[in-house]
Amino acid sequence: MLLIAGLGNPGPTYAKNHHNIGFMAVDEIARRWGFPAARSRFHAQVAEGKIPTPQGDVRTLILKPQGFYNESGRAVGEALKFFKLQPSDLVVFYDEIDLAPGRFRMKTGGGAAGNNGIRSITAQVGPDFRRARLGTGHPGHKDLVHGHVLSDFHKVDLKWVEPLIEACADAAPLLAAGEDEKYQTEVMRLAPAEKVDPRKLARSGGAGGGGEP
């Protein structure tokens, strides 16, 4: 079984925030693969379905914590424990300010890099889960980060936001098969985005973003 969690803040006030691109991505995965309507469970909105792979369908739980972003670990930890899953069975989709807008990177393990949602999950399940990092850009100075992540995407951003979340959904069979490197490559093939130093973009009045590791 695969547990896919998206990070965001619940409610319409936050729905279009940079911080909610994780919610957007997992919603699109659920839609693309015909998951039934979500229901309340584990202090989250949960939808269960299947994602096809060459080896057969993979039972998948899509989870959107309904506490606030910084408390995401409670819901994720409860679901992981209930289904007796390992951290390697967990993929977390979330916004990454240290990637340029539209860039996408998979990684397993590591630190929280200042992301309190990831810190919350790590406190519950340890660091060794899979991370799907959706680049949303950096405002250029650390004092501006809070306002940036809680601000809405502009209309001009939709030209990369929509292709990115659609690519995450279309390529999901690779994710379900555990082929994280191939999944990353396919997402970027379907939704290419330029690799740039977005801190320089932010200073020059561009889209903003973060350096790419």
Side-chain angles (χ1 to χ4, degrees), residues 144-163:
L144 302 176
V145 167
H146 182 75
H148 172 70
V149 299
L150 292 179
S151 66
D152 286 356
F153 286 110
H154 295 294
K155 287 184 178 180
V156 69
D157 294 322
L158 298 182
K159 67 182 180 181
W160 62 263
V161 172
E162 291 177 350

Side-chain angles (χ1 to χ4, degrees), residues 106-183:
M106 291 293 299
K107 67 176 289 187
T108 297
N115 186 302
N116 289 328
I118 295 301
R119 182 176 290 113
S120 174
I121 294 172
T122 298
Q124 294 290 329
V125 308
D128 298 326
F129 54 93
R130 298 153 65 190
R131 301 144 191 235
R133 302 184 294 155
L134 301 144
T136 57
H138 196 290
H141 191 282
K142 64 181 181 179
D143 291 344
L144 302 176
V145 167
H146 182 75
H148 172 70
V149 299
L150 292 179
S151 66
D152 286 356
F153 286 110
H154 295 294
K155 287 184 178 180
V156 69
D157 294 322
L158 298 182
K159 67 182 180 181
W160 62 263
V161 172
E162 291 177 350
L164 177 58
I165 64 175
E166 289 169 4
C168 287
D170 288 344
L174 290 168
L175 185 70
E179 300 279 1
D180 287 4
E181 186 174 341
K182 291 182 180 179
Y183 178 63

Side-chain angles (χ1 to χ4, degrees), residues 4-10 14-29 62-64 69 92-97 99-104 115 132-137 148-153 157-169 183 187-188 191:
I4 297 177
L7 299 195
N9 287 306
Y14 304 100
K16 297 179 181 180
N17 283 184
H18 290 76
H19 237 3
N20 275 44
I21 197 171
F23 273 10
M24 298 174 195
V26 300
D27 280 343
E28 184 63 16
I29 293 172
I62 288 180
L63 181 146
K64 294 164 57 181
Y69 191 104
V92 179
F93 281 79
Y94 65 99
D95 55 306
E96 175 58 84
I97 62 172
L99 287 177
R103 297 292 291 179
F104 179 78
N115 186 302
R133 302 184 294 155
L134 301 144
T136 57
H148 172 70
V149 299
L150 292 179
S151 66
D152 286 356
F153 286 110
D157 294 322
L158 298 182
K159 67 182 180 181
W160 62 263
V161 172
E162 291 177 350
L164 177 58
I165 64 175
E166 289 169 4
C168 287
Y183 178 63
V187 169
M188 283 281 81

